[in-house]
Amino acid sequence: MPTEKKISSASDCINAMVEGSELKKVRSNSRIYHRYFLLDADMQSLRWEPSKKDSEKAKIDIKSIKEVRTGKNTDIFRSNGVSDQISEDCAFSVIYGENYESLDLVANSADVANIWVTGLRYLISYGKHTLDMLESSQDNMRTSWVSQMFSEIDVDDLGHITLCSAVQCIRNLNPGLKTSKIELKFKELHKSKDKTGTDVTKEEFVEVFHELCTRPEIYFLLVQFSSNKEFLDTKDLMMFLEAEQGVAHINEEISLEIIHKYEPSKEGQEKGWLSIDGFTNYLMSPDCYIFDPEHKKVCQDMKQPLSHYFINSSHNTYLIEDQFRGPSDITGYIRALKMGCRSVELDVWDGPDNEPVIYTGHTMTSQIVFRSVIDIINKYAFFASEYPLILCLENHCSIKQQKVMVQHMKKILGDKLYTTSPNVEESYLPSPDVLKGKILVKAKKLSSSCSGVEGDVTDEDEGAEMSQRMGKENTEPANHVPAKRFQLCKELSELVSICKSVQFKEFQASFQAQKYWEVCSFNEVLASKYANENPGDFVNYNKRFLARVFPSPMRIDSSNMNPQDFWKCGCQIVAMNFQTPGLMMDLNVGWFRQNGNCGYVLRPAIMREEVSFFSANTKDSVPGVSPQLLHIKVISGQNFPKPKGSGAKGDVVDPYVYVEIHGIPADCAEQRTRTVHQNGDAPIFDESFEFQVNLPELAMVRFVVLDDDYIGDEFIGQYTIPFECLQTGYRHVQLQSLTGEVLAHASLFVHVAITNRRGGGKPHKRGLSVRKGKKSREYASLRTLWIKTVDEVFKNAQPPIRDATDLRENMQNAVVSFKELCGLSSVANLMQCMLAVSPRFLGPDNTPLVVLNLSEQYPTMELQGIVPEVLKKIVTTYDMMIQSLKALIENADAVYEKIVHCQKAAMEFHEHLHSIGTKEGLKERKLQKAVESFTWNITILKGQADLLKYAKNETVENLKQIHYAAVSCGLNKPGTENADVQKPRRSLEVIPEKANDETGE
């Protein structure tokens, strides 16, 4: 099958099928046969060869085909022993005959599979009228529009235009195309026709436009929803938006607005039709970017204590290169503050003319005047965010110049400075909301017992630490530098309120004696040690206190640490070298894109709640949190530039894509596509990946495009996004350069679906779980404390936990069974199931064989006369699913209350757990273990209650989807539509692997 020509119409697909292609024919018992398949020239039969059968039997009549399914969605595919080795994107099945037999096939590429699926569906739709439809579609809306554009250039009606005009017109319509590529395409066309001149005729213009401006992957998507038309009407578009993109509250009016906004042809706008070009425009618009626009504004609770947030933080903000010899410049502060940074560093030393200066002490970095930095901070402090800015002041000045510092800050920053004394009766820091528009000073502070105008405090000197590392002073290890002392003036001390710098000793001492307004700074090496050796203590410490982590002094090139290593411990202020691009800065920038890029991100509840169990180094699922399955299909790329530092000649690139997951250790993973050789303009990847994400609230997804044919540099572009900000459905990913700039016209086209593993998650945004049989069912386990009264309470919680798990998983298993009979994979949603199965419910004369009675809360299927066994099986499975949905909805509240009651009863013991355990004879380690087990159990109970609540909400959404899809497809029993049932808030967006049932040969 030729692949040079782009597929842009059903005619292209039919022609390719007539020419034929080699496909693998899959049978049961792991048998796979290589056969050559082709469509008869009269388009009446699908044949294959060689075959042991008579040539008249090695065929399937087109009119006997019931449906064509994509993916591995028949019994034969599911039971085949080598199914795991078959790509989901290359597999498809032809369902035919009265017994719904299946012909299961695998193409050599997803492109070839799409051609067969599209062509066969077209043949099924139009049958004997296929030829007429193909001929009429030649003079279609798109061709008319392109011809009209040609005529607008050919004002003198000469029948031709200049090559320059033709190239410019096509480039205006598709700015990502290179001028040289368009010119080359016209020259190749002229050469093939032995044409000598360079002028372009209308036919040539239309042909080149179709060749260069058609994206086959978008055409294949369009025909899935257009009932095999060459355009989407308003109802088709509504179905796509609801079932795939998860757009809520869609009606024909909104569909028309989208068509008017993105459809380029007047005919399409007038008729309410969206052509392939309009559909492409829409899919490439900001409406279909991967980043959820809800997160472009502040959308998190900003009334929590300051210690409950991750804070976007900069290290050595004044540097614009490395931290040993690099120059200092105020532009470092401007850049960081414009990027939403909320914690900047000022390393202040005595300067000439009684003016303090900022630089890294004991190094060769240049100096900038302190006053000019404060001026810049005053100007840009709230440029990107209204929430508090923290000035991390490393003070090495004499008393005299400290007073100058105070004068500058008071005069320039004025009432922006937050100097209110902390309330000793409080337990937590104020919230970002309370501190809006305020600047906090983090520095050393004189103790309340100091009565004079100055006093001794210990010094925090990162520069000295680095000098020692460089061998300038001595070789003492960085974490054991003797604490030097210096004089601090009272005026400067008074500027420090709720961010008093203190030295960390050890966790138990901090839990007992540290004040909530005191902040400890950790060298990266020391913080890593605590993260590995005391992960639980570190998380608990950060529930109440702010912790700042700064890079190791060994990083003299100003390279960056991985912020995730410390975010997973709850460390709020992880100071990054903003001047150094790369993976680590990508993670930092990507992470703080959420919540309106305001510089504050609320930490997961499990890292904030006083009684919750979380270990930063967990390599398994997190107790009380439902793992999510992330399904990403990398479909194609657009307009990849050559890597900037590449020494390879020419503009050709051989791109491939990495999809990376960054988060807790259990979540870190990466997968890559194959390399597409010599195609950076429009490479087709068509590869699907699946990742289990155990703590979604702390996970990020990073797309990286690299060049396989490189000399020197392989990096093309990347995009990093928090898991919680992903929009599901078909999305474009705007690629960014190494330094974070958007690469013009360079993007990835992907499909994203998120489902729950073993239930839970966010029902309005997530799909359903992968089926789990009863034999392998996992019930959450509670730990024994060996404190009789408390263990008795937790023992009472076991039955409702089992009931909750059974309700959830019975429902999920029943739903997956129904999906399989519909011929869909587990990532589909029930709206897509109803759409897939609706054609089967129609008889030969289009009268319904099955209708849905929507008069009650739980829609029932009713047979309308005699139906085939295969449809009876679907109806029976649907009934079982509805019963499981009903059981969950009607029993969830009672089970939920029992779990919550046990949780409250157990919490009655929390405050006195130590003394109760001591009375029971538990000592030291056993007592500590009992406290840990108590926290574990409470976390499990909270999690199980939440999972059940989410599952109920998800079930309600499922019923809405069934109801709405039945009405949309006209399958509702007349007079039973319930007007009170609203549309789904947001569909559980997933890729549609259409239809399945029984299988045969």
PDB file of all heavy atoms in Angstrom, residues 148-172:
ATOM      1  N   GLN A 148     -11.840  29.026  -4.618  1.00  0.00           N
ATOM      2  CA  GLN A 148     -12.236  30.416  -4.403  1.00  0.00           C
ATOM      3  C   GLN A 148     -11.027  31.275  -4.008  1.00  0.00           C
ATOM      4  O   GLN A 148     -10.868  32.402  -4.479  1.00  0.00           O
ATOM      5  CB  GLN A 148     -13.316  30.483  -3.315  1.00  0.00           C
ATOM      6  CG  GLN A 148     -13.787  31.884  -2.952  1.00  0.00           C
ATOM      7  CD  GLN A 148     -14.462  32.592  -4.118  1.00  0.00           C
ATOM      8  OE1 GLN A 148     -15.146  31.961  -4.922  1.00  0.00           O
ATOM      9  NE2 GLN A 148     -14.247  33.897  -4.223  1.00  0.00           N
ATOM     10  N   MET A 149     -10.160  30.707  -3.148  1.00  0.00           N
ATOM     11  CA  MET A 149      -8.945  31.445  -2.755  1.00  0.00           C
ATOM     12  C   MET A 149      -8.056  31.698  -3.964  1.00  0.00           C
ATOM     13  O   MET A 149      -7.469  32.768  -4.110  1.00  0.00           O
ATOM     14  CB  MET A 149      -8.169  30.653  -1.699  1.00  0.00           C
ATOM     15  CG  MET A 149      -8.786  30.698  -0.322  1.00  0.00           C
ATOM     16  SD  MET A 149      -7.669  30.046   0.902  1.00  0.00           S
ATOM     17  CE  MET A 149      -7.499  28.367   0.324  1.00  0.00           C
ATOM     18  N   PHE A 150      -7.964  30.698  -4.836  1.00  0.00           N
ATOM     19  CA  PHE A 150      -7.170  30.863  -6.063  1.00  0.00           C
ATOM     20  C   PHE A 150      -7.735  31.996  -6.909  1.00  0.00           C
ATOM     21  O   PHE A 150      -7.004  32.859  -7.404  1.00  0.00           O
ATOM     22  CB  PHE A 150      -7.168  29.547  -6.850  1.00  0.00           C
ATOM     23  CG  PHE A 150      -6.392  29.602  -8.139  1.00  0.00           C
ATOM     24  CD1 PHE A 150      -5.051  29.275  -8.172  1.00  0.00           C
ATOM     25  CD2 PHE A 150      -7.014  29.998  -9.327  1.00  0.00           C
ATOM     26  CE1 PHE A 150      -4.335  29.334  -9.357  1.00  0.00           C
ATOM     27  CE2 PHE A 150      -6.309  30.066 -10.517  1.00  0.00           C
ATOM     28  CZ  PHE A 150      -4.958  29.732 -10.534  1.00  0.00           C
ATOM     29  N   SER A 151      -9.055  31.999  -7.051  1.00  0.00           N
ATOM     30  CA  SER A 151      -9.705  33.019  -7.884  1.00  0.00           C
ATOM     31  C   SER A 151      -9.494  34.420  -7.320  1.00  0.00           C
ATOM     32  O   SER A 151      -9.392  35.393  -8.077  1.00  0.00           O
ATOM     33  CB  SER A 151     -11.202  32.724  -8.000  1.00  0.00           C
ATOM     34  OG  SER A 151     -11.411  31.459  -8.589  1.00  0.00           O
ATOM     35  N   GLU A 152      -9.428  34.537  -5.988  1.00  0.00           N
ATOM     36  CA  GLU A 152      -9.204  35.847  -5.363  1.00  0.00           C
ATOM     37  C   GLU A 152      -7.815  36.386  -5.689  1.00  0.00           C
ATOM     38  O   GLU A 152      -7.595  37.599  -5.740  1.00  0.00           O
ATOM     39  CB  GLU A 152      -9.402  35.739  -3.851  1.00  0.00           C
ATOM     40  CG  GLU A 152     -10.863  35.589  -3.455  1.00  0.00           C
ATOM     41  CD  GLU A 152     -11.039  35.323  -1.964  1.00  0.00           C
ATOM     42  OE1 GLU A 152     -10.036  35.385  -1.226  1.00  0.00           O
ATOM     43  OE2 GLU A 152     -12.184  35.039  -1.538  1.00  0.00           O
ATOM     44  N   ILE A 153      -6.848  35.467  -5.914  1.00  0.00           N
ATOM     45  CA  ILE A 153      -5.497  35.898  -6.292  1.00  0.00           C
ATOM     46  C   ILE A 153      -5.458  36.179  -7.799  1.00  0.00           C
ATOM     47  O   ILE A 153      -4.853  37.149  -8.257  1.00  0.00           O
ATOM     48  CB  ILE A 153      -4.455  34.820  -5.924  1.00  0.00           C
ATOM     49  CG1 ILE A 153      -4.499  34.548  -4.425  1.00  0.00           C
ATOM     50  CG2 ILE A 153      -3.042  35.262  -6.335  1.00  0.00           C
ATOM     51  CD1 ILE A 153      -3.679  33.341  -3.983  1.00  0.00           C
ATOM     52  N   ASP A 154      -6.149  35.332  -8.562  1.00  0.00           N
ATOM     53  CA  ASP A 154      -6.181  35.463 -10.029  1.00  0.00           C
ATOM     54  C   ASP A 154      -7.251  36.482 -10.425  1.00  0.00           C
ATOM     55  O   ASP A 154      -8.275  36.155 -11.036  1.00  0.00           O
ATOM     56  CB  ASP A 154      -6.467  34.087 -10.641  1.00  0.00           C
ATOM     57  CG  ASP A 154      -6.475  34.109 -12.167  1.00  0.00           C
ATOM     58  OD1 ASP A 154      -5.887  35.057 -12.748  1.00  0.00           O
ATOM     59  OD2 ASP A 154      -7.076  33.198 -12.774  1.00  0.00           O
ATOM     60  N   VAL A 155      -7.014  37.742 -10.070  1.00  0.00           N
ATOM     61  CA  VAL A 155      -8.024  38.790 -10.267  1.00  0.00           C
ATOM     62  C   VAL A 155      -8.314  39.041 -11.746  1.00  0.00           C
ATOM     63  O   VAL A 155      -9.414  39.468 -12.116  1.00  0.00           O
ATOM     64  CB  VAL A 155      -7.595  40.115  -9.580  1.00  0.00           C
ATOM     65  CG1 VAL A 155      -7.688  39.994  -8.081  1.00  0.00           C
ATOM     66  CG2 VAL A 155      -6.189  40.517 -10.010  1.00  0.00           C
ATOM     67  N   ASP A 156      -7.340  38.782 -12.625  1.00  0.00           N
ATOM     68  CA  ASP A 156      -7.534  39.013 -14.065  1.00  0.00           C
ATOM     69  C   ASP A 156      -8.079  37.789 -14.775  1.00  0.00           C
ATOM     70  O   ASP A 156      -8.165  37.766 -16.010  1.00  0.00           O
ATOM     71  CB  ASP A 156      -6.201  39.438 -14.708  1.00  0.00           C
ATOM     72  CG  ASP A 156      -5.710  40.769 -14.145  1.00  0.00           C
ATOM     73  OD1 ASP A 156      -6.568  41.622 -13.837  1.00  0.00           O
ATOM     74  OD2 ASP A 156      -4.489  40.932 -13.999  1.00  0.00           O
ATOM     75  N   ASP A 157      -8.396  36.764 -14.001  1.00  0.00           N
ATOM     76  CA  ASP A 157      -9.004  35.538 -14.556  1.00  0.00           C
ATOM     77  C   ASP A 157      -8.135  34.930 -15.667  1.00  0.00           C
ATOM     78  O   ASP A 157      -8.626  34.538 -16.728  1.00  0.00           O
ATOM     79  CB  ASP A 157     -10.405  35.847 -15.085  1.00  0.00           C
ATOM     80  CG  ASP A 157     -11.275  34.589 -15.131  1.00  0.00           C
ATOM     81  OD1 ASP A 157     -10.930  33.628 -14.413  1.00  0.00           O
ATOM     82  OD2 ASP A 157     -12.261  34.583 -15.878  1.00  0.00           O
ATOM     83  N   LEU A 158      -6.833  34.839 -15.380  1.00  0.00           N
ATOM     84  CA  LEU A 158      -5.890  34.290 -16.370  1.00  0.00           C
ATOM     85  C   LEU A 158      -5.833  32.770 -16.329  1.00  0.00           C
ATOM     86  O   LEU A 158      -5.304  32.137 -17.234  1.00  0.00           O
ATOM     87  CB  LEU A 158      -4.479  34.852 -16.113  1.00  0.00           C
ATOM     88  CG  LEU A 158      -4.329  36.378 -16.186  1.00  0.00           C
ATOM     89  CD1 LEU A 158      -2.930  36.787 -15.739  1.00  0.00           C
ATOM     90  CD2 LEU A 158      -4.599  36.860 -17.610  1.00  0.00           C
ATOM     91  N   GLY A 159      -6.341  32.192 -15.244  1.00  0.00           N
ATOM     92  CA  GLY A 159      -6.283  30.737 -15.111  1.00  0.00           C
ATOM     93  C   GLY A 159      -4.994  30.255 -14.482  1.00  0.00           C
ATOM     94  O   GLY A 159      -4.769  29.054 -14.332  1.00  0.00           O
ATOM     95  N   HIS A 160      -4.122  31.197 -14.121  1.00  0.00           N
ATOM     96  CA  HIS A 160      -2.869  30.822 -13.437  1.00  0.00           C
ATOM     97  C   HIS A 160      -2.399  31.998 -12.584  1.00  0.00           C
ATOM     98  O   HIS A 160      -2.777  33.152 -12.825  1.00  0.00           O
ATOM     99  CB  HIS A 160      -1.783  30.410 -14.445  1.00  0.00           C
ATOM    100  CG  HIS A 160      -1.468  31.488 -15.458  1.00  0.00           C
ATOM    101  ND1 HIS A 160      -0.655  32.564 -15.197  1.00  0.00           N
ATOM    102  CD2 HIS A 160      -1.905  31.646 -16.754  1.00  0.00           C
ATOM    103  CE1 HIS A 160      -0.575  33.341 -16.267  1.00  0.00           C
ATOM    104  NE2 HIS A 160      -1.338  32.799 -17.224  1.00  0.00           N
ATOM    105  N   ILE A 161      -1.590  31.697 -11.576  1.00  0.00           N
ATOM    106  CA  ILE A 161      -1.001  32.732 -10.711  1.00  0.00           C
ATOM    107  C   ILE A 161       0.490  32.457 -10.595  1.00  0.00           C
ATOM    108  O   ILE A 161       0.980  31.370 -10.950  1.00  0.00           O
ATOM    109  CB  ILE A 161      -1.647  32.744  -9.301  1.00  0.00           C
ATOM    110  CG1 ILE A 161      -1.496  31.359  -8.622  1.00  0.00           C
ATOM    111  CG2 ILE A 161      -3.104  33.152  -9.373  1.00  0.00           C
ATOM    112  CD1 ILE A 161      -2.009  31.306  -7.194  1.00  0.00           C
ATOM    113  N   THR A 162       1.239  33.431 -10.096  1.00  0.00           N
ATOM    114  CA  THR A 162       2.684  33.242  -9.971  1.00  0.00           C
ATOM    115  C   THR A 162       2.995  32.239  -8.859  1.00  0.00           C
ATOM    116  O   THR A 162       2.210  32.063  -7.914  1.00  0.00           O
ATOM    117  CB  THR A 162       3.395  34.572  -9.645  1.00  0.00           C
ATOM    118  OG1 THR A 162       2.951  35.010  -8.348  1.00  0.00           O
ATOM    119  CG2 THR A 162       3.083  35.631 -10.694  1.00  0.00           C
ATOM    120  N   LEU A 163       4.140  31.605  -8.989  1.00  0.00           N
ATOM    121  CA  LEU A 163       4.588  30.644  -7.969  1.00  0.00           C
ATOM    122  C   LEU A 163       4.691  31.333  -6.616  1.00  0.00           C
ATOM    123  O   LEU A 163       4.274  30.788  -5.590  1.00  0.00           O
ATOM    124  CB  LEU A 163       5.944  30.051  -8.367  1.00  0.00           C
ATOM    125  CG  LEU A 163       6.584  29.092  -7.359  1.00  0.00           C
ATOM    126  CD1 LEU A 163       5.713  27.856  -7.149  1.00  0.00           C
ATOM    127  CD2 LEU A 163       7.988  28.681  -7.822  1.00  0.00           C
ATOM    128  N   CYS A 164       5.213  32.579  -6.623  1.00  0.00           N
ATOM    129  CA  CYS A 164       5.390  33.322  -5.370  1.00  0.00           C
ATOM    130  C   CYS A 164       4.047  33.547  -4.679  1.00  0.00           C
ATOM    131  O   CYS A 164       3.927  33.363  -3.466  1.00  0.00           O
ATOM    132  CB  CYS A 164       6.078  34.652  -5.668  1.00  0.00           C
ATOM    133  SG  CYS A 164       6.396  35.629  -4.183  1.00  0.00           S
ATOM    134  N   SER A 165       3.027  33.922  -5.443  1.00  0.00           N
ATOM    135  CA  SER A 165       1.693  34.168  -4.876  1.00  0.00           C
ATOM    136  C   SER A 165       1.096  32.884  -4.314  1.00  0.00           C
ATOM    137  O   SER A 165       0.473  32.884  -3.243  1.00  0.00           O
ATOM    138  CB  SER A 165       0.755  34.741  -5.936  1.00  0.00           C
ATOM    139  OG  SER A 165       1.231  35.975  -6.413  1.00  0.00           O
ATOM    140  N   ALA A 166       1.263  31.781  -5.059  1.00  0.00           N
ATOM    141  CA  ALA A 166       0.720  30.501  -4.616  1.00  0.00           C
ATOM    142  C   ALA A 166       1.375  30.052  -3.318  1.00  0.00           C
ATOM    143  O   ALA A 166       0.709  29.603  -2.373  1.00  0.00           O
ATOM    144  CB  ALA A 166       0.931  29.436  -5.697  1.00  0.00           C
ATOM    145  N   VAL A 167       2.701  30.187  -3.247  1.00  0.00           N
ATOM    146  CA  VAL A 167       3.442  29.786  -2.045  1.00  0.00           C
ATOM    147  C   VAL A 167       3.004  30.628  -0.851  1.00  0.00           C
ATOM    148  O   VAL A 167       2.752  30.109   0.242  1.00  0.00           O
ATOM    149  CB  VAL A 167       4.970  29.919  -2.278  1.00  0.00           C
ATOM    150  CG1 VAL A 167       5.732  29.762  -0.965  1.00  0.00           C
ATOM    151  CG2 VAL A 167       5.443  28.893  -3.296  1.00  0.00           C
ATOM    152  N   GLN A 168       2.886  31.946  -1.058  1.00  0.00           N
ATOM    153  CA  GLN A 168       2.525  32.840   0.042  1.00  0.00           C
ATOM    154  C   GLN A 168       1.128  32.549   0.557  1.00  0.00           C
ATOM    155  O   GLN A 168       0.867  32.563   1.765  1.00  0.00           O
ATOM    156  CB  GLN A 168       2.629  34.301  -0.411  1.00  0.00           C
ATOM    157  CG  GLN A 168       2.510  35.314   0.723  1.00  0.00           C
ATOM    158  CD  GLN A 168       3.542  35.093   1.813  1.00  0.00           C
ATOM    159  OE1 GLN A 168       4.737  34.921   1.543  1.00  0.00           O
ATOM    160  NE2 GLN A 168       3.100  35.060   3.067  1.00  0.00           N
ATOM    161  N   CYS A 169       0.209  32.246  -0.356  1.00  0.00           N
ATOM    162  CA  CYS A 169      -1.172  31.955   0.033  1.00  0.00           C
ATOM    163  C   CYS A 169      -1.232  30.696   0.906  1.00  0.00           C
ATOM    164  O   CYS A 169      -1.878  30.687   1.957  1.00  0.00           O
ATOM    165  CB  CYS A 169      -2.031  31.783  -1.199  1.00  0.00           C
ATOM    166  SG  CYS A 169      -3.765  31.444  -0.821  1.00  0.00           S
ATOM    167  N   ILE A 170      -0.547  29.643   0.490  1.00  0.00           N
ATOM    168  CA  ILE A 170      -0.553  28.394   1.254  1.00  0.00           C
ATOM    169  C   ILE A 170       0.126  28.598   2.608  1.00  0.00           C
ATOM    170  O   ILE A 170      -0.320  28.078   3.633  1.00  0.00           O
ATOM    171  CB  ILE A 170       0.115  27.262   0.443  1.00  0.00           C
ATOM    172  CG1 ILE A 170      -0.808  26.856  -0.708  1.00  0.00           C
ATOM    173  CG2 ILE A 170       0.423  26.052   1.333  1.00  0.00           C
ATOM    174  CD1 ILE A 170      -0.258  25.784  -1.623  1.00  0.00           C
ATOM    175  N   ARG A 171       1.188  29.403   2.607  1.00  0.00           N
ATOM    176  CA  ARG A 171       1.899  29.647   3.876  1.00  0.00           C
ATOM    177  C   ARG A 171       1.041  30.472   4.833  1.00  0.00           C
ATOM    178  O   ARG A 171       1.085  30.279   6.051  1.00  0.00           O
ATOM    179  CB  ARG A 171       3.223  30.353   3.614  1.00  0.00           C
ATOM    180  CG  ARG A 171       4.159  30.275   4.792  1.00  0.00           C
ATOM    181  CD  ARG A 171       5.615  30.442   4.433  1.00  0.00           C
ATOM    182  NE  ARG A 171       6.423  30.103   5.599  1.00  0.00           N
ATOM    183  CZ  ARG A 171       6.653  30.942   6.601  1.00  0.00           C
ATOM    184  NH1 ARG A 171       6.140  32.136   6.585  1.00  0.00           N
ATOM    185  NH2 ARG A 171       7.398  30.562   7.637  1.00  0.00           N
ATOM    186  N   ASN A 172       0.233  31.381   4.307  1.00  0.00           N
ATOM    187  CA  ASN A 172      -0.671  32.152   5.162  1.00  0.00           C
ATOM    188  C   ASN A 172      -1.692  31.251   5.838  1.00  0.00           C
ATOM    189  O   ASN A 172      -2.096  31.474   6.979  1.00  0.00           O
ATOM    190  CB  ASN A 172      -1.407  33.221   4.345  1.00  0.00           C
ATOM    191  CG  ASN A 172      -0.483  34.352   3.925  1.00  0.00           C
ATOM    192  OD1 ASN A 172       0.609  34.504   4.489  1.00  0.00           O
ATOM    193  ND2 ASN A 172      -0.884  35.118   2.923  1.00  0.00           N
TER     194      ASN A 172
END
